[in-house]
Amino acid sequence: SKKPVRVAVTGAAGQIGYALLFRIASGEMLGKDQPVILQLLEIPDEKAQKALTGVMMELQDCAFPLLVGMEAHSDPMTAFKDVDYALLVGARPRGPGMERADLLAANAQIFTAQGKALDKVASRNVKVLVVGNPANTNAYIAMKSAPSLPAKNFTAMLRLDHNRALSQVAAKTGKPVAAIKKLTVWGNHSPTMYADYRFATIDGQDVKDMINDQEWNANVFLPTVGKRGAAIIDARGLSSAASAANAAIDHMRDWALGTNGEWVTMGVPSQGWYGIPQDVIFGFPVTCENGEYKVIEGLPIDAFSQERINKTLEELEGEKDGVKHLL
Ligand code: NAX
């Protein structure tokens, strides 16, 4: 049988953690033949650590055959020891009266420390997914704080936006989500993201022709996908958790096990693709094979798309400027 891999999850006692850990332990992320050791990180706070203990009791009670080890941590330097995968979910939420700059600074501190810890103690091949918001900028900070690890191993979660876009296109066309190919989301995980079905097909037919409604694209589809997080909070009274955990599973599974040529969206450090400056963590269409992602290059960008891409890039550059004195 396979050698166990080490998976770190931060914010493990939070609501995404609760929807995520059981699925990792059951093999949905890395395969039904891949044993895992969970290395769980929470803040040192007594309540958080106690809640984490409770989650671990439940994990134990599932008696998952693939869960061969489990540890609770309050320090990233021990939590990330030798990890092969790191899902950075825990972040500082925006408190009442908190300015955007304060939020960026609080998270910069967390992701600087976690990036440094990964740099020192994680596997040299660690695959990092940042979920905690602002996800792209937090991933950028962690990447910059881990100079001895390959930059390409730091990614941010755009998959929830991707999946939201898929479900909206499925509803509009009346076709199953599984039939939709070559959809992508460009940019920042924020309402400025640009979900793009210009290249998408369903059973070989162009989605753009099937929908043929630019007004719907600009005024219904994009705002619906972009503001979906807020709509969930409004309906549920809590932010998306199960769908976010599901997207994290999708992202890591596809990265580790491959996409068989299908496009998915990942937030990855740009190597200058589509004019996005080097190292900006940006949502791009990718395929994955042998544990590596590959950005789809050479897609035509029309004026409408360029304007959207510029807008989400501008927001990301602003976030980057807001933290540059902290790096
Ligand atoms: P919760 O507040 O339920 O849980 C977060 C947990 O993280 C808490 O238990 C907290 O103690 C812990 N934590 C905070 N700082 C930590 C640190 N430095 N080290 C370890 N643990 C730490 O939030 P939840 O609903 O689980 O959301 C987690 C994050 O995901 C938030 O930042 C949220 O904004 C973000 N999201 C990102 C999404 C994406 O698509 N990229 C979508 C869903 C979600 O909103």
Side-chain angles (χ1 to χ4, degrees):
S1 63
K2 283 189 171 175
K3 186 172 168 278
V5 293
R6 297 181 177 273
V7 181
V9 178
T10 75
Q15 48 152 8
I16 294 177
Y18 196 71
L20 179 63
L21 295 172
F22 299 85
R23 296 185 61 190
I24 298 174
S26 75
E28 286 180 62
M29 187 169 88
L30 297 171
K32 296 284 182 186
D33 59 346
Q34 178 59 66
V36 296
I37 297 167
L38 288 175
Q39 300 187 186
L40 307 175
L41 180 67
E42 260 296 340
I43 51 174
D45 170 76
E46 204 180 310
K47 259 178 76 182
Q49 287 293 325
K50 193 172 172 198
L52 177 56
T53 306
V55 175
M56 291 169 75
M57 287 161 69
E58 284 204 70
L59 280 161
Q60 252 180 330
D61 294 349
C62 293
F64 289 119
L66 292 171
L67 184 59
V68 297
M70 186 165 41
E71 305 162 5
H73 294 275
S74 58
D75 179 352
M77 284 294 285
T78 55
F80 296 158
K81 180 86 182 108
D82 296 330
V83 293
D84 304 290
Y85 299 89
L87 292 89
L88 309 186
V89 178
R92 181 70 186 276
R94 194 175 202 145
M98 203 172 176
E99 295 294 331
R100 189 181 169 75
D102 302 333
L103 182 76
L104 278 169
N107 280 299
Q109 211 178 0
I110 293 172
F111 287 87
T112 306
Q114 294 189 357
K116 284 182 178 160
L118 286 164
D119 196 52
K120 289 217 169 64
V121 302
S123 155
R124 299 300 87 187
N125 300 315
V126 63
K127 287 180 162 59
V128 182
L129 168 62
V130 177
V131 175
N133 280 319
N136 298 51
T137 295
N138 289 342
Y140 175 81
I141 293 166
M143 175 184 83
K144 287 295 177 191
S145 306
S148 76
L149 295 172
K152 68 174 167 58
N153 291 16
F154 287 80
T155 68
M157 193 165 93
L158 268 292
R159 187 60 175 264
L160 181 53
D161 309 275
H162 178 99
N163 289 346
R164 285 167 173 167
L166 280 177
S167 78
Q168 293 302 320
V169 168
K172 177 73 172 174
T173 56
K175 301 286 185 182
V177 275
I180 305 167
K181 312 290 175 197
K182 296 187 170 182
L183 185 109
T184 196
V185 180
W186 305 89
N188 198 7
H189 167 65
S190 94
T192 67
M193 59 85 234
Y194 173 44
D196 185 359
Y197 58 75
R198 287 177 306 138
F199 314 107
T201 61
I202 296 175
D203 303 328
Q205 239 193 307
D206 287 333
V207 166
K208 197 164 175 273
D209 298 339
M210 291 169 78
I211 294 175
N212 194 21
D213 189 347
Q214 178 55 16
E215 196 273 332
W216 180 81
N217 180 30
N219 301 326
V220 181
F221 175 67
L222 289 172
T224 301
V225 177
K227 295 178 189 157
R228 189 67 164 182
I232 301 285
I233 292 174
D234 184 51
R236 212 171 77 90
L238 289 166
S239 59
S240 348
S243 55
N246 179 69
I249 297 269
D250 284 350
H251 178 117
M252 281 306 211
R253 183 201 56 225
D254 286 350
W255 191 4
L257 304 179
T259 63
N260 294 316
E262 305 287 346
W263 296 17
V264 293
T265 302
M266 289 172 70
V268 305
S270 177
Q271 292 182 21
W273 302 298
Y274 298 97
I276 306 304
Q278 182 83 19
D279 287 350
V280 172
I281 309 258
F282 205 80
F284 289 109
V286 303
T287 54
C288 302
E289 203 182 340
N290 301 322
E292 302 284 344
Y293 58 82
K294 195 163 155 252
V295 170
I296 309 291
E297 295 186 68
L299 298 170
I301 305 296
D302 59 19
F304 177 82
S305 303
Q306 191 63 59
E307 194 185 305
R308 290 285 175 158
I309 287 172
N310 291 349
K311 189 166 152 232
T312 192
L313 174 62
E314 206 176 293
E315 180 183 55
L316 269 173
E317 300 267 43
E319 289 180 13
K320 217 169 104 193
D321 278 351
V323 297
K324 69 165 184 263
H325 61 290
L326 303 164
L327 291 180

